[in-house]
Amino acid sequence: MPRPETADRAGLDLEMRGIVKRFPGVVANDHVDFDVHEGEIHTLLGENGAGKSTLMKVLYGLYHPDEGEILINGHPTTIDSPRDAINLGIGMIHQHFMLVPTLTVAENVTLGLRSPRGPLLDLDSVSERIEELSATYGLQVDPGAYVWQLSVGEQQRVEILKALYRNATLLALDEPTAVLTPQEVNELFATMRSMTAEGHALIFISHKLHEVLEISDRITVLRSGRNVGTIRAEEASRERLARMMVGREVILEPEKPPVEVDGVRLMVKGVRALSNRGTEGLRGVDLDVRGGEILAVAGVSGNGQRELAEIIAGLRPTTAGTVAIDGVDVTHADPGRRRDLGLSYIPEERMRDGAVRDFSVAENLMLHQFDKPPYARHGFLDFAEIRAHCDLLIRQFDVKTPNPEAPAKTLSGGNIQKMILARELSTNPKVLVAAQPTRGVDIGATEYIHRRLLDQREAGTATLLISEDLDEILALADRIAVIYEGEIMGVVDRADANIEQIGLMMAGIREEAGSTPPAA
Amino acid sequence: MAEFFTTAIIVSTVASTFRFATSYLYAAIGETFGQRSGVLNLGVDGIMLLGAFGAYYTVLKSGNLWLALAVAAAIGMLMGLAMAYASVTLQAEQGISGIGFYLFGLGLSDLLFQKLVGTPLPIDGFPNLRIPLLADIPIVGEMLFDHSIIVYGAFLLVPVAAFVLNRTTVGLNIRAVGENPEAADTLGVSVAKVRYFTVILGSTLAGIGGAALATELGIFQQNLTAGQGFIAVALVYFGAWRPLGVMFGALLYGFVAAVVLQLKTLGVIPLGASDLAAMLPALITILALVVAVQRERQPAALTKPYERGE
């Protein structure tokens, strides 16, 4: 296939020197140095907005750096487009898969390449080569399958195959583990190790510290667009890496004092609901959450988490079953009625469902009660009351905004989330549904949100935490329910939980009643 | 009513089905390429009108039908270049800019006609080309194998288009760009190049479609197409973005039009109701569209301009 003579050309040394990339108002990369060598896994670690993706886009020819140079095997090189990058042997596994769902695996892999039988496609020879690569690197996938039929893990394999098929010797993997179960992460790591054994150089991007420590040879930390240091994995620890990322000490595992649990505040019984695609998104879910406990729902994205949150919030109709808040059946109640009964909701899509982009911070803080006394009387808003209340919330919840009148869209992700948290917790809810509360939020804000959720637990709130981040779940939960294809695979106490068992349930393997799997 | 079911009438109805379908088919196959790559060209009707006038005027002045086709194609190509510039480079809202192109074509073709021709004179179109042996098959021969070259061309275009879309690297690029332009971009496929290509190709075919209409009818007049270009856009949806499906849509439309014409000629439809009858093809298309759209998914990036970025 393409350039077979170079197929075993292992070894590509990359050095990026003094890379500067400016956007209006921001310096996304500020004189960043970064290098990676053959047979090595070099991790790029940093918060959202630290400049990791920008650096990778510079490497892949999607952005042109304002300053700095790129050396490949010691030679200064300009990379003007992805095509240049591909020709140099650079491959990129993007965080959001760059696949065409309506095409087959083989078509996706060969897209953009010359065909030996050009202008005709030659999918048979493409499939053959895919199968060879699959065998070498443990990347099983059917070349004739349509991408929309594949699981997320399989789609990722297609992404890696695309790069290998182009004889990439340097691969950058942008948050590849974000969408995988723990078992799939292990498989990915095995593939990555077999690639470095073949002489490939890998750049691994992640913010999951234990994964970074497990797989890396070296780790470079970016903060606010600057390289704050490169260390060997042996010298690193979670605490040290977190400190480098944030620039101060971080409490990774918050204190969790024992709390006396109360009666059932949220009950979901036999609930079924349709997904947006019209398929059955929830298939008979039973959950109870008691006052003073955090029940976490673990699972791979898209297994019914969104539907679950929405049927509780009253944003999606159920087709069967009941939902009760504080003992009152609310299955058919509107969202306002549920809020009156003590429900608060932190939605997954914070910009779409949680805030009004063009409203001010103050208006966003009042969305749920602007029409209630003391903020409104006889249909007229009392701006003095509203202002005082908002100032208090902004201070209490440490929302960093120039003023209460600034539009919500000008805030950072972490501050928008704090704003939503302030609004939702200001009513001291009986029941809180928190969907992906820290996704895409920086470590500092995450730390803060975690502490607030635990404070609320002590205040007696029944919290349903929906998260794809197992570290978060293990840090906060009292009990863990695992959801798979719209069904709860099992519920375990935090004290008895182990990652292997949860990982298996996330992959759809049901927990045997009363038994724990043998230790691995 | 009984006289309708004579062999002669059935043969002539089926034969004119193919003739009626021809101009739609050129335009709709062309539009299929554009839409598969993510560009909706609503200006098809205007391009057809300009192509039709260009072809008509060329025949009127030179009598050369092949030159007329070339002129119509060249007009389509130029309009396609302009349309692609608006949709791809300027990232215009495609529904709106398309209507602009339509109005431009509608107005300019009429203006040129008034200034350069004035009174409509008939022209001779391509002569019928009886395919040896096949045309001698009773009934079927006359239905299928006794048409002008421009009719054959339209139907030959269908398998060619399907082959290009499904079996060639260019076709793969087109499909990928229409579904996930970002993915194509990261693999070094130029989204802009692909879309320029499909829009220019589609408009060229629309120009030829206009030429087919003018030469088959042997006449030009204001708004000759009477919305055929819009029907062609609808046929692409009806055909679920596949050339074969588009062809069935064009044939359905052509058939209803042929039947209506036949019934009018035979006096089955009273003169007063002929306007109502003329609605029938459009009505059937709308109904078919309602059914089709629920069934099929359009290219994910249709009408969405592509810009590289975060």
Side-chain angles (χ1 to χ4, degrees):
Chain A
M1 279 308 301
R3 296 176 299 161
E5 71 281 1
T6 59
D8 52 8
R9 159 196 69 159
L12 186 147
D13 281 350
L14 165 78
E15 200 181 336
M16 302 177 85
R17 276 193 202 150
I19 300 293
V20 176
K21 178 68 191 172
R22 297 186 190 90
F23 292 106
V26 214
V27 184
N29 283 161
D30 187 359
H31 298 92
V32 175
D33 296 324
F34 183 77
D35 64 312
V36 60
H37 308 292
E38 85 170 82
E40 175 192 50
I41 298 177
H42 191 161
T43 291
L44 202 49
L45 182 67
E47 306 250 60
N48 284 306
K52 298 169 301 197
S53 293
T54 303
L55 190 66
M56 289 302 101
K57 283 183 171 165
V58 167
L59 174 62
Y60 201 56
L62 287 166
Y63 288 159
H64 303 283
D66 298 315
E67 285 174 42
E69 57 177 352
I70 298 172
L71 287 84
I72 305 269
N73 295 331
H75 306 292
T77 310
T78 49
I79 304 174
D80 283 329
S81 68
R83 186 165 284 256
D84 287 353
I86 293 164
N87 290 339
L88 288 164
I90 298 169
M92 179 96 30
I93 313 302
H94 299 268
Q95 186 179 356
H96 306 288
F97 296 150
M98 295 290 181
L99 296 172
V100 185
T102 53
L103 302 183
T104 64
V105 170
E107 285 176 327
N108 267 284
V109 167
T110 193
L111 179 62
L113 290 176
R114 248 175 230 290
S115 163
R117 291 176 51 212
L120 304 187
L121 289 168
D122 184 5
L123 293 177
D124 291 339
S125 76
V126 176
S127 301
E128 244 169 68
R129 175 115 173 84
I130 290 175
E131 273 158 8
E132 279 170 37
L133 288 169
S134 297
T136 311
Y137 295 100
L139 294 160
Q140 290 319 314
V141 64
D142 171 12
Y146 283 95
V147 164
W148 60 263
Q149 299 171 316
L150 303 181
S151 72
V152 173
E154 287 172 314
Q155 291 186 25
Q156 186 167 65
R157 285 179 222 154
V158 179
E159 283 284 18
I160 297 173
L161 283 168
K162 262 164 67 178
L164 292 173
Y165 191 90
R166 284 162 175 73
N167 297 315
T169 45
L170 185 154
L171 271 93
L173 300 106
D174 190 357
E175 305 244 1
T177 60
V179 290
L180 303 181
T181 65
Q183 278 79 7
E184 286 174 325
V185 170
N186 288 338
E187 286 168 27
L188 174 68
F189 283 0
T191 297
M192 286 169 67
R193 289 198 184 94
S194 73
M195 287 196 282
T196 50
E198 299 268 324
H200 292 282
L202 301 184
I203 301 171
F204 177 64
I205 299 173
S206 177
H207 61 261
K208 294 186 180 170
L209 299 175
H210 68 264
E211 289 178 355
V212 169
L213 290 170
E214 183 187 339
I215 192 73
S216 312
D217 295 306
R218 287 190 297 155
I219 301 160
T220 289
V221 180
L222 294 185
R223 187 170 75 226
S224 312
R226 290 203 190 87
N227 181 339
V228 292
T230 300
I231 55 175
R232 301 206 58 80
E234 306 90 78
E235 311 161 26
S237 65
R238 291 181 62 190
E239 289 71 23
R240 181 169 175 198
L241 291 175
R243 196 165 59 234
M244 288 171 79
M245 284 166 76
V246 184
R248 59 172 173 81
E249 288 296 330
V250 176
I251 299 154
L252 290 168
E253 265 141 44
E255 289 269 317
K256 209 171 91 182
V259 169
E260 199 68 32
V261 290
D262 202 358
V264 172
R265 292 281 170 265
L266 172 68
M267 189 197 75
V268 175
K269 201 166 167 58
V271 163
R272 293 172 173 271
L274 296 180
S275 72
N276 286 348
R277 285 177 301 166
T279 56
E280 190 147 62
L282 293 178
R283 304 190 295 179
V285 169
D286 297 310
L287 289 172
D288 286 325
V289 193
R290 288 164 293 174
E293 79 164 348
I294 296 178
L295 173 66
V297 177
V300 177
S301 171
N303 274 289
Q305 292 96 324
R306 158 172 294 182
E307 290 82 358
L308 177 62
E310 289 181 352
I311 58 109
I312 298 170
L315 300 173
R316 182 182 295 270
T318 54
T319 51
T322 43
V323 180
I325 292 171
D326 206 14
V328 180
D329 184 343
V330 294
T331 313
H332 303 290
D334 62 38
R337 165 88 177 125
R338 297 180 199 219
R339 283 190 176 272
D340 292 344
L341 286 167
L343 173 73
S344 277
Y345 174 44
I346 300 171
E348 176 180 343
E349 299 272 344
R350 69 184 65 103
M351 270 330 253
R352 204 191 63 198
D353 301 334
V356 184
R357 295 171 56 89
D358 295 301
F359 276 22
S360 69
V361 171
E363 285 167 330
N364 270 292
L365 285 169
M366 297 305 299
L367 280 179
H368 60 317
Q369 52 184 7
F370 66 89
D371 56 342
K372 295 190 175 70
Y375 311 111
R377 283 179 207 286
H378 315 296
F380 290 93
L381 296 174
D382 184 337
F383 286 103
E385 275 294 339
I386 289 177
R387 179 67 194 247
H389 179 69
C390 289
D391 283 344
L392 181 70
L393 285 182
I394 288 169
R395 244 180 304 125
Q396 269 184 356
F397 284 82
D398 191 29
V399 182
K400 293 202 177 63
T401 172
N403 57 64
E405 274 70 49
K409 65 183 175 192
T410 60
L411 270 53
S412 74
N415 279 302
I416 288 170
Q417 194 69 335
K418 284 191 205 166
M419 176 186 83
I420 295 170
L421 199 70
R423 181 181 72 214
E424 298 300 322
L425 298 187
S426 65
T427 52
N428 193 22
K430 286 192 182 127
V431 176
L432 172 67
V433 175
Q436 320 291 357
T438 62
R439 182 155 72 187
V441 167
D442 59 65
I443 291 194
T446 298
E447 185 189 11
Y448 182 85
I449 292 166
H450 284 174
R451 210 177 66 230
R452 280 289 181 170
L453 292 177
L454 288 172
D455 288 351
Q456 214 56 48
R457 167 176 172 270
E458 282 175 57
T461 299
T463 302
L464 184 75
L465 169 70
I466 298 175
S467 178
E468 283 152 28
D469 181 349
L470 272 185
D471 290 339
E472 172 169 271
I473 285 178
L474 293 173
L476 300 181
D478 295 300
R479 289 187 299 143
I480 301 167
V482 182
I483 195 166
Y484 174 77
E485 295 196 341
E487 287 183 74
I488 300 295
M489 291 287 117
V491 182
V492 290
D493 274 345
R494 168 65 185 93
D496 310 328
N498 70 68
I499 295 231
E500 289 74 29
Q501 180 197 10
I502 292 171
L504 286 173
M505 289 196 279
M506 282 165 74
I509 297 156
R510 200 178 280 273
E511 180 203 24
E512 294 298 325
S515 77
T516 41
Chain B
M1 197 67 196
E3 69 228 270
F4 185 71
F5 295 100
T6 63
T7 312
I9 284 172
I10 290 172
V11 166
S12 98
T13 304
V14 173
S16 45
T17 295
F18 285 96
R19 265 213 320 285
F20 276 126
T22 295
S23 50
Y24 294 105
L25 202 46
Y26 280 110
I29 293 289
E31 179 73 8
T32 304
F33 277 97
Q35 291 200 15
R36 283 301 281 268
S37 76
V39 183
L40 172 74
N41 182 355
L42 270 187
V44 179
D45 203 54
I47 299 169
M48 286 179 82
L49 280 167
L50 285 172
F53 175 76
Y56 171 78
Y57 189 66
T58 308
V59 176
L60 209 60
K61 292 289 154 188
S62 73
N64 187 334
L65 282 158
W66 290 104
L67 182 66
L69 265 193
V71 167
I75 290 170
M77 217 178 273
L78 273 179
M79 291 293 288
L81 184 66
M83 181 74 203
Y85 182 71
S87 305
V88 181
T89 307
L90 301 182
Q91 311 200 344
E93 186 69 48
Q94 290 167 17
I96 304 301
S97 63
I99 290 171
F101 276 82
Y102 160 64
L103 290 172
F104 173 77
L106 177 68
L108 184 63
S109 63
D110 189 39
L111 177 74
L112 292 174
F113 177 68
Q114 302 293 345
K115 290 286 166 203
L116 299 177
V117 184
T119 41
L121 298 165
I123 55 166
D124 286 327
F126 284 93
N128 278 14
L129 187 70
R130 284 178 64 87
I131 311 262
L133 298 177
L134 290 175
D136 298 329
I137 303 170
I139 301 175
V140 178
E142 210 178 318
M143 286 173 173
L144 298 180
F145 301 111
D146 189 12
H147 290 289
S148 74
I149 188 135
I150 208 155
V151 177
Y152 297 130
F155 286 87
L156 278 178
L157 196 58
V158 175
V160 172
F163 186 84
V164 169
L165 278 174
N166 296 316
R167 297 290 169 83
T168 67
T169 50
V170 175
L172 181 62
N173 288 350
I174 292 171
R175 288 183 284 146
V177 163
E179 288 289 343
N180 189 347
E182 207 179 359
D185 189 24
T186 56
L187 294 177
V189 176
S190 165
V191 176
K193 252 189 221 165
V194 169
R195 288 184 171 174
Y196 262 84
F197 171 74
T198 57
V199 172
I200 292 174
L201 174 67
S203 300
T204 305
L205 289 173
I208 293 175
L213 186 66
T215 56
E216 286 291 293
L217 292 174
I219 199 71
F220 188 85
Q221 64 184 40
Q222 188 201 15
N223 194 17
L224 178 76
T225 54
Q228 286 204 3
F230 290 100
I231 300 294
V233 174
L235 289 176
V236 176
Y237 281 76
F238 172 81
W241 295 271
R242 291 189 193 91
L244 202 64
V246 168
M247 184 187 79
F248 284 125
L251 282 174
L252 172 69
Y253 205 90
F255 178 69
V256 179
V259 169
V260 168
L261 180 73
Q262 201 64 255
L263 291 177
K264 268 202 282 196
T265 317
L266 294 174
V268 177
I269 299 175
L271 221 56
S274 72
D275 284 348
L276 277 178
M279 282 170 31
L280 210 57
L283 198 65
I284 287 178
T285 310
I286 291 168
L287 289 177
L289 204 57
V290 169
V291 177
V293 164
Q294 286 171 343
R295 182 166 50 91
E296 285 295 338
R297 211 182 53 83
Q298 64 181 38
L302 186 57
T303 76
K304 296 191 183 88
Y306 175 67
E307 190 173 23
R308 197 182 272 175
E310 286 291 281

